[in-house]
Amino acid sequence: MSHALRPPAEPADADPTATAADSKLSPKAKAALSEGKKAERRLGLLLCAPAILIMAAVAGWPIIYSVWLSLQRYDLKFPDRTEFVGLENYVTVLSNPYWWNAMWVTVLITVVSVAVELVLGMALALIMHRTLVGRGIVRTSTLIPYGIVTVVAAFSWRYAWTPGTGYLAETVAGGDPVLTEKIPSIMVVTLAEIWKTTPFMALLLMAGLALVPDDLLKAAAMDGATAWQRFTKVMVPVMKPAILVALLFRTLDAFRIFDNLFVLTAGSQGTSSVSMLTYNNLIKGLNLGIGSTMSVLIFIAVAIIAFVFVKLFGTAAPGGDGGGRR
Amino acid sequence: MAEIVLDNVTKQYPDGAVAVRDVDIEIADGEFIILVGPSGCGKSTTLNMIAGLEDITAGELRIGGERVNERAPKDRDIAMVFQSYALYPHMTVKENMAFPLRLAKVDDTTVEKKVRDAAEILDLTQHLDRKPSNLSGGQRQRVAMGRAIVRSPKAFLMDEPLSNLDAKLRVQMRTSVSRLQKQLGTTTVYVTHDQTEAMTLGDRVVVMRGGAVQQIGAPQFLYDNPANLFVAGFIGSPAMNFVPASLENGVLRSALGDVPLTDRVRSLLEGAEAPREVIMGLRPEHFEDARLVDDTVRSNGVTFTNQVDVLESMGSDKFAYFSLSGEQATSAELAELAADAGSADVPGGGVSLVARISATSSAVEGEPADIWFDADKVQLFDPGNGRNLTYRG
Amino acid sequence: MAGIGGAVTTGRKARWTVLNVLVVVYALFPVLWIVSLSFKTKETLGDGNFIPREWTFDNYKTIFSTTEFVRALVNSIGIALIATAVAVVFGTMAAYAIARLDFPGKRLLIGVSLLIAMFPQISLVSPLFEIERGLGLFDTWPGLILPYITFALPLAIYTLSAFFREIPWELEKAAKMDGATPGQAFRRVIAPLAAPGVFTTAILVFIFCWNDFLFAISLTSTEASRTVPVALSFFTGSSQFEDPTGSIAAAAVVITIPIILFVLFFQRRIVAGLTSGAVKG
């Protein structure tokens, strides 16, 4: 990250052609970059400098520092016993059943919520895109789950499922305290996650839908395709890049689930996600070494997910080409 | 106002691609000069280098006698009209036209006056308070012109300024651009890919191909005396016909029959070291329905008989299309022209020919017709390098 | 944009209406539920009814009389506004450079931003916790503002550079030809055109900062910098024996109000911003 801060003089990009030109040119004519071009480069770097500096200082440096911390025995409750222990923390974490339980919980929530959201989000996107009446109202109301503070939504769900307070606890769960058991808790958390983020998925998919030309669908209809065939054979293939981007974004986002879990179960009954477990070790347990180790492991997991997406689906992933679209 | 001199100007991109090579053009004060050529020929790059929007790799650019290679666009005192007009959408017509003056810190009363004057000239007075989005294409184009003329720059640069207009309006605006330029007498460099605009607008035309200048000259001169196959094929509509021919004992043997060399052609050929195989170029208007040609004239040319594939009546005259058997003329220049016209992959073997004949001709589509052409108007080209062997330079 | 087949019949309209109502109910009912809770009296809180049998403002009066909530609200507003302002200003500068200028290291910057956008935030919590304690930033406004800016920057840069790319390139050349310096071209031509995009980005960034819980709970420890989402999770009621449900619901409703306002007034912009930044970036 820090090597983004290169000096403006860039020999590799500098004009290599002037020297090749014929010898009758005066040395003055070799001026590689005109004032305008130089000013442009200076301005470019100057404008990016604050963003680069902040990102380097608040994201770049800490991530390196956390790798260093993960190699230490470092517990704030016993600061005297701090020492370099190499990979010991990794062995501790990776051989710990709590970690693996949290990993499975996270993966389960991620897979289920993203899968359901894809289907639900597609339906919602189609409704928002094609509805004949009240398009504004539909779009406005779907933005509410997206915009609302996750903690607020989580409290709403918590009270809804709490016996004695909630309507869902009585009607759906028959008065059972669902949030005190592992599997029902995870289901409730997944539902809350789906409710909150389906609109985001739907919006991304809707943008993809907008890229499907109406004429193409008309042509398919003339060619004898049913509505379902038009959807599967024309729409989905054309909007595939948008679908993949939406999936990637949501998968990475779901993987960091924390807020909903914190409010709904606080990680009890083995419902911790990896983020939740890391938080508990770090802020509650004040064990910086172990916490950092988990941080690094989560980072690696996210990198693997992103890598797999990019590998499987090629350049459709965002950033495959900074300027390329259409 | 000033003259503009491009002295061996070259543009090479960092990746090594050469967009413009050794361009030498001297544009006189007040001259209207057209840069024309197919897309990718370097004409826009050349214009951008004059504007200062792109760096000059080698060579020198002088405006009014001063070297300006290193000057930013704003310090060159030239105005530009863009293909998309590039009107500022958040400003009214008036603000758009005043913008260059405001940047130059001209006082309010002068700005007001100059904008009024320009609006008057361009017939925009009643639109001054509207935004560009509420204007028609022609009005937008005029606003773009207005923004260029308000500050009386040393030169105007125009980058295909009419190509976004529909055909009818384009013809109208062409005349008004020409009139405006005469009226203001400002040096103008105009880029287009449309040879009709090039022919009708400019004092002189610069034909470019692959980053290099092919020929510079007055429109009629280029039409009558193209320096090479490329210029011959590019200038003129419908384009010149090209038929392969071989020179044998003072006679041209071709699919159109044996063409005798007239004295004019013979004398031009003498110093040219012509190869045996040549490409014969014939303008469509040098053909005629043989039945309409006097016998005395008829002997100065060649008559051939061929089936008319398509006959288009234009009212004033007719275009007759033929396909001749035999090989098509081939050369790098012709291939490039075909690619630019998008006809490179149009199927059809043999030589195709267009003749512009009198409206009174009784030729019928699908029937054979006797067609005559003037042997003295034949131009001969070297297929190897495209050079015009009958060039009268 | 009617579907294939032309005429809009009343039957089709009715079907769409039903679907739309389903969507609206889906989106709103958890929100209405928490609103309902916030208006319930202490006695009826536990009745499980979706609509309050008795309405009261007591819960709101209670939270606004505690420093715990008022202070958190001030923190939330202040921190989110400052972080938004800084992120949008820096993001605008960088996005302009990325969309418009040619300079070394541009691709790298795009790549790094994307990386941060996909970053698991928890991975930053541990090092930041330690670094901020060392620098005395722990439990202060800047201690939260800095990470918010960092995570908002990629969002801002992506959304804005998509908006900037929509502005026709030639306008800037035209401005240069009209005698503008690059700085003037930016201020007088590009900036006014970019204003709607900047505003949209500001809304998105504000929502992000306003929403954050993980950083806020990890990097604060007292009322000095606790934001409302965190304060909510620490609410205990005025006495040990009192159920905080009503207060939590009321506080939740209060912090939802800005979001509802944004969504109501800027629905179009938010949709445009979210989709342009994410899909077209």
Side-chain angles (χ1 to χ4, degrees):
Chain A
M1 261 157 247
S2 54
H3 41 258
L5 291 165
R6 276 186 285 183
E10 215 0 5
D13 280 20
D15 194 336
T17 58
T19 45
D22 32 348
S23 52
K24 65 182 178 220
L25 298 172
S26 68
K28 204 173 75 177
K30 277 174 67 179
L33 297 166
S34 77
E35 271 177 66
K37 205 72 186 168
K38 272 190 235 157
E40 183 182 319
R41 287 177 169 228
R42 260 200 311 273
L43 183 67
L45 285 168
L46 210 67
L47 288 175
C48 290
I52 294 172
L53 280 175
I54 289 197
M55 291 196 289
V58 189
W61 163 238
I63 202 73
I64 295 165
Y65 188 59
S66 77
V67 173
W68 169 246
L69 281 178
S70 73
L71 302 175
Q72 316 272 327
R73 179 187 303 134
Y74 189 11
D75 190 328
L76 287 177
K77 295 191 297 278
F78 312 100
D80 308 338
R81 289 168 49 191
T82 303
E83 62 172 324
F84 184 87
V85 292
L87 295 175
E88 203 185 290
N89 288 330
Y90 289 87
V91 175
T92 311
V93 172
L94 289 175
S95 59
N96 185 310
Y98 285 107
W99 166 259
W100 288 111
N101 181 58
M103 187 54 98
W104 292 128
V105 168
T106 311
V107 169
L108 183 70
I109 294 176
T110 304
V111 169
V112 174
S113 66
V114 172
V116 175
E117 278 169 32
L118 181 63
V119 176
L120 221 54
M122 185 62 94
L124 196 53
L126 282 168
I127 292 174
M128 286 194 285
H129 188 65
R130 302 206 82 92
T131 184
L132 303 174
V133 281
R135 181 178 304 192
I137 296 171
V138 174
R139 290 193 181 183
T140 305
S141 46
T142 45
L143 278 178
I144 287 175
Y146 159 77
I148 200 169
V149 178
T150 314
V151 172
V152 167
F155 269 113
S156 170
W157 291 112
R158 184 166 121 186
Y159 291 133
W161 291 104
T162 304
T165 322
Y167 56 102
L168 289 177
E170 307 300 329
T171 52
V172 180
D176 285 345
V178 287
L179 288 170
T180 56
E181 288 165 64
K182 181 170 177 174
I183 296 301
S185 296
I186 292 177
M187 278 169 57
V188 168
V189 170
T190 310
L191 273 178
E193 189 75 1
I194 291 170
W195 177 79
K196 173 91 172 77
T197 49
T198 297
F200 180 67
M201 181 78 114
L203 285 172
L204 295 191
L205 294 177
M206 193 178 73
L209 275 178
L211 299 179
V212 182
D214 247 17
D215 280 354
L216 211 60
L217 298 176
K218 284 186 190 151
M222 296 304 293
D223 290 342
T226 62
W228 176 248
Q229 284 170 325
R230 288 200 298 270
F231 176 71
T232 54
K233 302 242 153 91
V234 181
M235 271 192 196
V236 171
V238 172
M239 58 185 291
K240 193 173 152 210
I243 295 177
L244 295 178
V245 169
L247 280 179
L248 175 62
F249 270 46
R250 270 302 302 144
T251 306
L252 294 181
D253 192 37
F255 198 80
R256 13 185 218 214
I257 182 166
F258 179 80
D259 304 11
N260 267 324
L261 263 174
F262 189 96
V263 174
L264 283 167
T265 71
S268 55
Q269 285 92 39
T271 56
S272 273
S273 70
V274 282
S275 289
M276 192 75 219
L277 191 67
T278 309
Y279 169 83
N280 280 337
N281 272 285
L282 198 70
I283 308 296
K284 293 241 174 86
L286 294 176
N287 192 332
L288 276 171
I290 294 291
S292 298
T293 306
M294 289 177 171
S295 297
V296 173
L297 287 172
I298 294 171
F299 184 64
I300 293 171
V302 164
I304 291 173
I305 295 174
F307 180 78
V308 167
F309 261 93
V310 174
K311 264 279 153 277
L312 277 183
F313 307 122
T315 51
D321 178 13
R325 53 169 153 134
R326 227 158 287 177
Chain B
M1 264 157 267
E3 82 276 0
I4 299 173
V5 179
L6 288 91
D7 188 354
N8 264 307
V9 167
T10 295
K11 171 74 190 181
Q12 185 171 19
Y13 287 108
D15 63 2
V18 178
V20 172
R21 191 190 307 273
D22 287 333
V23 167
D24 260 315
I25 310 174
E26 290 189 21
I27 304 162
D29 185 17
E31 192 177 14
F32 196 153
I33 200 153
I34 312 281
L35 303 183
V36 70
S39 48
C41 73
K43 56 189 191 298
S44 291
T45 309
T46 306
L47 192 75
N48 283 338
M49 284 193 288
I50 300 175
L53 296 170
E54 284 194 52
D55 284 327
I56 296 170
T57 311
E60 192 167 81
L61 171 70
R62 292 186 293 274
I63 300 178
E66 279 177 82
R67 176 188 162 97
V68 295
N69 288 36
E70 287 79 20
R71 280 199 207 160
K74 69 184 181 71
D75 302 321
R76 296 189 185 193
D77 191 21
I78 42 187
M80 186 155 171
V81 177
F82 292 85
Q83 182 172 6
S84 67
Y85 316 137
L87 302 180
Y88 309 118
H90 58 300
M91 301 183 191
T92 62
V93 169
K94 192 190 209 166
E95 288 163 347
N96 260 287
M97 299 206 319
F99 188 65
L101 299 173
R102 299 251 178 247
L103 288 173
K105 303 216 160 48
V106 175
D107 65 277
D108 286 359
T109 38
T110 320
V111 169
E112 185 74 13
K113 187 184 172 314
K114 289 199 168 187
V115 171
R116 289 271 157 213
D117 290 351
E120 196 82 31
I121 296 174
L122 292 161
D123 195 18
L124 287 168
T125 314
Q126 71 269 42
H127 306 304
L128 279 177
D129 293 320
R130 294 166 74 181
K131 290 269 175 75
S133 53
N134 300 324
L135 299 177
S136 70
Q139 289 164 343
R140 286 181 206 182
Q141 208 281 334
R142 297 210 299 275
V143 176
M145 300 285 294
R147 198 171 63 191
I149 67 176
V150 277
R151 68 190 164 119
S152 325
K154 282 183 189 154
F156 295 137
L157 306 179
M158 304 195 184
D159 191 0
E160 312 219 7
L162 304 182
S163 63
N164 280 354
L165 300 175
D166 62 52
K168 202 173 166 190
L169 199 54
R170 189 154 53 212
V171 176
Q172 256 175 44
M173 286 307 294
R174 208 160 68 200
T175 17
S176 56
V177 167
S178 180
R179 196 178 304 130
L180 188 68
Q181 200 271 342
K182 296 272 176 312
Q183 193 181 336
L184 299 169
T186 306
T187 316
T188 302
V189 185
Y190 186 109
V191 162
T192 180
H193 65 267
D194 177 356
Q195 63 88 28
T196 319
E197 275 178 27
M199 289 295 287
T200 50
L201 275 175
D203 297 325
R204 281 193 303 157
V205 175
V206 179
V207 182
M208 295 186 70
R209 172 194 170 220
V213 171
Q214 300 293 297
Q215 191 175 7
I216 305 180
Q220 193 62 47
F221 182 82
L222 293 193
Y223 187 82
D224 295 335
N225 301 286
N228 58 35
L229 261 181
F230 183 81
V231 177
F234 192 79
I235 301 284
S237 174
M240 188 183 261
N241 296 294
F242 295 107
V243 181
S246 51
L247 271 171
E248 280 172 38
N249 308 325
V251 174
L252 275 169
R253 297 194 190 284
S254 76
L256 296 177
D258 289 354
V259 183
L261 296 181
T262 62
D263 293 344
R264 184 190 74 92
V265 176
R266 197 184 301 275
S267 70
L268 286 171
L269 269 180
E270 250 157 34
E273 294 172 18
R276 225 177 81 94
E277 300 298 326
V278 295
I279 292 175
M280 180 168 75
L282 283 163
R283 293 273 179 208
E285 65 270 26
H286 296 143
F287 292 84
E288 189 51 274
D289 185 336
R291 268 176 282 174
L292 302 172
V293 181
D294 287 339
D295 286 349
T296 47
V297 181
R298 202 161 169 166
S299 61
N300 297 335
V302 175
T303 304
F304 66 97
T305 308
N306 207 304
Q307 176 176 305
V308 180
D309 287 344
V310 176
L311 190 72
E312 291 173 351
S313 181
M314 311 300 290
S316 56
D317 34 38
K318 286 177 176 167
F319 288 133
Y321 294 81
F322 306 93
S323 355
L324 308 176
S325 53
E327 285 295 297
Q328 217 170 338
T330 50
S331 82
E333 285 87 352
L334 293 180
E336 194 178 327
L337 284 168
D340 184 53
S343 60
D345 46 3
V346 175
V351 185
S352 50
L353 206 70
V354 191
R356 178 172 173 176
I357 57 181
S358 167
T360 58
S361 162
S362 54
V364 180
E365 214 170 80
E367 302 282 321
D370 293 335
I371 300 292
W372 169 89
F373 66 89
D374 188 345
D376 199 37
K377 295 288 169 45
V378 164
Q379 311 231 23
L380 297 177
F381 300 90
D382 183 338
N385 54 19
R387 188 168 53 104
N388 186 350
L389 301 163
T390 49
Y391 181 65
R392 185 171 57 86
Chain C
M1 273 264 229
I4 293 159
V8 179
T9 62
T10 30
R12 293 182 54 170
K13 253 190 187 168
R15 246 180 298 154
W16 278 117
T17 311
V18 171
L19 277 176
N20 291 349
V21 169
L22 276 177
V23 172
V24 173
V25 168
Y26 165 87
L28 292 187
F29 92 108
V31 182
L32 294 177
W33 165 242
I34 200 106
V35 172
S36 153
L37 274 182
S38 76
F39 284 111
K40 283 184 179 179
T41 58
K42 277 193 201 80
E43 293 71 35
T44 57
L45 257 180
D47 65 5
N49 234 34
F50 197 89
I51 298 165
R53 292 205 177 92
E54 281 173 74
W55 294 73
T56 172
F57 278 101
D58 282 355
N59 293 319
Y60 290 92
K61 284 181 196 144
T62 312
I63 55 164
F64 277 104
S65 66
T66 60
T67 53
E68 201 183 358
F69 176 73
V70 175
R71 182 66 222 222
L73 192 60
V74 170
N75 289 341
S76 259
I77 294 172
I79 290 171
L81 281 181
I82 296 173
T84 303
V86 177
V88 168
V89 169
F90 289 173
T92 303
M93 287 159 56
Y96 171 80
I98 285 171
R100 281 287 186 265
L101 304 175
D102 187 28
F103 62 95
K106 186 160 112 175
R107 306 214 119 249
L108 192 70
L109 176 62
I110 297 172
V112 169
S113 316
L114 192 73
L115 203 74
I116 294 180
M118 299 186 173
F119 221 71
Q121 280 132 342
I122 187 76
S123 290
L124 272 194
V125 166
S126 24
L128 280 179
F129 178 70
E130 178 67 1
I131 292 170
E132 292 201 349
R133 279 185 334 119
L135 295 174
L137 287 174
F138 183 75
D139 198 25
T140 64
W141 278 25
L144 278 185
I145 290 172
L146 280 171
Y148 287 179
I149 295 172
T150 308
F151 276 90
L153 268 174
L155 175 71
I157 292 176
Y158 267 80
T159 315
L160 279 165
S161 52
F163 276 112
F164 280 142
R165 272 191 223 110
E166 304 276 299
I167 300 170
W169 236 127
E170 278 195 333
L171 284 182
E172 205 186 38
K173 285 196 199 170
K176 280 188 192 168
M177 292 308 297
D178 285 342
T181 60
Q184 281 173 317
F186 176 61
R187 272 205 318 281
R188 303 188 61 165
V189 175
I190 302 302
L193 293 176
V198 172
F199 183 70
T200 305
T201 308
I203 294 177
L204 295 181
V205 168
F206 184 88
I207 291 177
F208 165 79
C209 299
W210 190 250
N211 246 321
D212 173 76
F213 180 65
L214 179 56
F215 284 121
I217 199 168
S218 308
L219 301 177
T220 63
S221 58
T222 67
E223 276 178 23
S225 57
R226 226 172 240 166
T227 57
V228 181
V230 179
L232 272 187
S233 71
F234 282 109
F235 267 4
T236 47
S238 45
S239 79
Q240 225 183 324
F241 306 101
E242 204 180 298
D243 181 17
T245 307
S247 303
I248 290 180
V253 171
V254 171
I255 60 166
T256 306
I257 290 170
I259 303 294
I260 304 271
L261 290 179
F262 283 144
V263 166
L264 279 181
F265 289 107
F266 307 114
Q267 176 255 119
R268 228 169 265 276
R269 284 176 189 283
I270 296 175
V271 171
L274 279 175
T275 50
S276 73
V279 174
K280 297 171 182 172

